[in-house]
Amino acid sequence: MPAESVDVVVIGMGPGGEDAGARLARGGLSVVGVEGRLVGGECPYYACVPTKMMVRAAGALAEARRVDRLAGSATVRADWGPVAARIRDEATDNWDDAAAVERFEKAGGTFVRGWGKVTAPGEVTVQTANGDRVFRARRGILLNPGTAPAVPPLDGLAGTPYWTNRDTVPTTEVPESLIVLGGGPVGVEFAQIFARFGTRVTVVARRLLPKDEPEAGELLARVFADEGIEVRGVRGTAVRHDGREFTLELDNGESVRAERLLVAAGRRTDLAALGIGAVGLDEDAKSIPVDNRLRAADGVWAIGDVTGAGAFTHVSMYQARIAANDILGEGSEVARYRAVPRVTFTDPEVGAVGMTEEEARAAGLQVRTGCTEVPASTRGWIHKVGNDGFIKLVEDADRGVLVGATSVGPQGGEVLSALAVAVHAEVPTATLREMILAYPTFHRAIESALDALASG
């Protein structure tokens, strides 16, 4: 079949791919965006946006239940109906990406629905419902394939009606009971959401939030216990489904049963399906290595989850700008990852930026830490019920700068912003101690953490 000639082909129209493609089109290039699922990627349809609507709703229930300890009395009746309707109508347009496609096309791009694969240097073949289309990319190929939910090879799991995030977000009913397999951000957020809507929840994970400071997971486990969420610090070994309930066998010889099983065991990508071997890249690797301009090979750029720099929308968008400018031959910005922020939207929120204490020590740094409890701050004391949290700072003592920080608490992700600036700009901790922090705010607790750092 004859090849169609364009400047750039973008494979995968997640947040970064869509943004980069639009930038390139507005920059005057002919751009083809290829996506087999939904334009916008996981974030607006099955992750960031709808799940935070769930978090908001669950948080409203939790606050209402705190009225008795703060302001009188209240009766709360949970109803999932408004949540499901809001996700369908406001967040996802009933999982229809027509508006996103139109947005990209208005920017000047050409959209092709299908699955793209690199079939030769500078060549992409797209499998569409009407047959294959071949594109020759004069300027380059941009890879943004995203990831899919990882499903562990547990005996008996395949073929059962288990959930991943893609099944959980569209649900119109709250299950009576739920097993959450995995203690990462996805697992703990869903666990707390459904528990607050009346589901009996059991989380099966060796550790909650294993990529964060251990104090964060330990605090969250205590909060979960207070909210009636059972955390089993073990691993699942086998699954059975009898047509009505799941049974998850555990490595300690016990088992747990529930109506639903949510598998929240991380993400995976299929680099072989992407065809990157055609440009000399390793299809068996876990990620695509890129330089600080996001170049993966001659005429090939990669952004998003597959680069291994952080499976976050904000990282993909950050990389999109840099890659698009490099393709356009504009700008001098290069990617730096020393201050990548992340937030888990539980209650309390868990925000982190840069290195954990363990990571800093493993990097050979002379580490000093400082920590303060949010309830010990004036704002935390005022907040009273629901004030669990802490701020932990990780300093490179030789240079006197923060290399990492964790902010857990009410609005912990918002408090994190000041710490992210400090890590990104490498502001000396001596300078941070000279700041005036507004009173009484949650972020003023940073001052106490700095005091603890100085005396540590």
Side-chain angles (χ1 to χ4, degrees):
M1 67 191 73
E4 303 171 58
S5 185
V6 297
D7 288 322
V8 178
V9 178
V10 180
I11 301 179
M13 295 290 282
E18 182 187 354
D19 181 73
R23 288 174 182 270
L24 294 168
R26 288 193 296 265
L29 300 185
S30 58
V31 181
V32 169
V34 180
E35 177 58 61
R37 292 179 62 85
L38 296 169
V39 173
E42 202 84 357
C43 182
Y45 301 103
Y46 301 107
C48 322
V49 177
T51 61
K52 302 316 165 274
M53 287 182 172
M54 292 179 174
V55 166
R56 169 67 175 137
L61 291 176
E63 279 297 283
R65 290 166 180 146
R66 290 165 177 162
V67 166
D68 289 357
R69 295 180 60 186
L70 290 170
S73 62
T75 301
V76 181
R77 181 182 63 83
D79 182 359
W80 188 254
V83 185
R86 188 182 184 203
I87 290 169
R88 181 188 64 244
D89 299 335
E90 298 179 28
T92 67
D93 287 335
N94 202 23
W95 293 271
D96 185 336
D97 65 353
V101 172
E102 181 181 2
R103 182 171 61 237
F104 175 63
E105 291 177 338
K106 280 186 175 180
T110 299
F111 177 67
V112 176
R113 180 83 64 190
W115 301 100
K117 182 175 184 177
V118 181
T119 44
E123 180 184 278
V124 173
T125 299
V126 183
Q127 183 182 4
T128 77
N130 298 315
D132 290 352
R133 293 177 66 178
V134 179
F135 295 94
R136 294 291 301 173
R138 293 184 294 263
R139 200 75 161 256
I141 299 168
L142 178 62
L143 306 175
N144 179 226
T147 53
V151 179
L154 291 184
D155 181 42
L157 179 61
T160 66
Y162 64 85
W163 279 355
T164 68
N165 65 300
R166 292 177 180 173
D167 308 289
T168 309
V169 166
T171 188
T172 57
E173 296 181 354
V174 172
E176 179 182 330
S177 53
L178 173 71
I179 299 167
V180 178
L181 185 60
V186 173
V188 295
E189 286 183 7
F190 278 129
Q192 191 173 52
I193 288 165
F194 284 112
R196 288 179 166 183
F197 273 88
T199 301
R200 176 173 53 82
V201 178
T202 303
V203 179
V204 176
R206 287 289 191 190
R207 173 181 156 189
L208 300 186
L209 301 181
K211 294 185 179 180
D212 286 295
E213 295 283 8
E215 297 95 328
E218 291 162 4
L219 173 57
L220 196 58
R222 292 195 295 273
V223 170
F224 276 14
D226 289 342
E227 295 193 12
I229 301 170
E230 183 180 7
V231 178
R232 305 292 295 271
V234 293
R235 288 183 178 152
T237 58
V239 174
R240 297 194 309 273
H241 187 260
D242 62 8
R244 189 178 64 87
E245 277 191 328
F246 284 90
T247 299
L248 178 64
E249 303 291 344
L250 307 176
D251 64 1
N252 64 356
E254 298 177 354
S255 64
V256 289
R257 295 174 62 86
E259 177 188 348
R260 291 288 182 181
L261 170 64
L262 168 60
V263 176
R267 310 288 297 179
R268 64 170 180 82
T269 190
D270 187 350
L271 297 184
L274 196 58
I276 60 173
V279 288
L281 297 174
D282 183 3
E283 296 183 346
D284 295 322
K286 291 184 178 180
S287 60
I288 298 175
V290 294
D291 67 11
N292 59 14
R293 297 288 181 89
L294 289 311
R295 301 165 181 161
D298 186 27
V300 179
W301 288 257
I303 62 173
D305 297 6
V306 294
T307 64
F312 308 112
T313 293
H314 45 277
V315 171
S316 184
M317 297 287 283
Y318 169 73
Q319 293 175 326
R321 179 180 70 242
I322 296 170
N325 285 340
D326 194 48
I327 294 170
L328 290 167
E330 301 173 357
S332 58
E333 184 181 10
V334 296
R336 299 183 178 92
Y337 303 107
R338 67 170 171 267
V340 176
R342 61 184 182 273
V343 181
T344 299
F345 292 87
T346 45
D347 178 10
E349 288 183 357
V350 179
V353 62
M355 296 180 175
T356 63
E357 178 182 354
E358 181 181 359
E359 289 169 341
R361 293 190 188 282
L365 301 182
Q366 184 66 34
V367 173
R368 184 161 47 207
T369 64
C371 192
T372 189
E373 300 293 322
V374 169
S377 70
T378 302
R379 180 61 183 277
W381 174 76
I382 292 169
H383 196 79
K384 197 175 180 179
V385 58
N387 64 354
D388 301 282
F390 64 88
I391 293 175
K392 179 176 180 178
L393 308 179
V394 180
E395 181 191 44
D396 177 351
D398 290 337
R399 293 188 298 144
V401 297
L402 297 183
V403 293
T406 296
S407 168
V408 181
Q411 303 173 33
E414 308 303 325
V415 173
L416 183 72
S417 61
L419 299 168
V421 170
V423 175
H424 174 78
E426 298 183 308
V427 180
T429 49
T431 301
L432 296 175
R433 290 189 189 96
E434 296 171 354
M435 288 178 61
I436 301 173
L437 298 170
Y439 180 90
T441 60
F442 283 116
H443 79 257
R444 188 172 171 84
I446 294 172
E447 186 175 273
S448 298
L450 287 165
D451 290 341
L453 186 70
S455 61

